[in-house]
Amino acid sequence: MPEVKSIFREVLPKQGQLSMEDVPTMVLCKPKLLPLKSVTLEKLEKMQMEAQEAVKQQELAMKEQLQ
């Protein structure tokens, strides 16, 4: 495989100090509180409960009409 020459040269200072600081540190952030149930799931459960109640009321009304 042929060696690829880069157009950039590495330049090091002739005077002074050359230092490099690359120390990975952990960054702590606030914990994010997630709801146990999403808003959409709560709405769906509420709609389902209302539908079940409506069905029960209809069944009771039908039983009363038959008696």
Side-chain angles (χ1 to χ4, degrees), residues 43-56:
K43 287 180 183 178
L44 288 172
E45 286 179 345
K46 183 179 177 185
M47 288 173 54
Q48 186 177 13
M49 292 290 283
E50 290 172 353
Q52 287 176 348
E53 289 294 322
V55 168
K56 285 181 184 177

Side-chain angles (χ1 to χ4, degrees), residues 2-46:
E3 203 173 296
V4 178
K5 292 184 180 181
S6 69
I7 57 174
F8 299 106
R9 286 185 323 137
E10 184 177 300
V11 178
L12 297 175
K14 296 186 193 248
Q15 296 179 14
Q17 292 181 344
L18 176 66
S19 66
M20 183 175 162
E21 232 179 275
D22 188 20
V23 180
T25 59
M26 291 185 65
V27 177
L28 300 175
C29 60
K30 291 182 180 179
K32 295 180 181 175
L33 298 176
L34 298 175
L36 296 177
K37 292 185 179 180
S38 69
V39 176
T40 307
L41 181 60
E42 288 180 1
K43 287 180 183 178
L44 288 172
E45 286 179 345
K46 183 179 177 185

Side-chain angles (χ1 to χ4, degrees), residues 49-65:
M49 292 290 283
E50 290 172 353
Q52 287 176 348
E53 289 294 322
V55 168
K56 285 181 184 177
Q57 289 176 358
Q58 287 178 355
E59 287 176 353
L60 288 175
M62 291 293 285
K63 284 183 183 178
E64 288 177 1
Q65 286 179 357

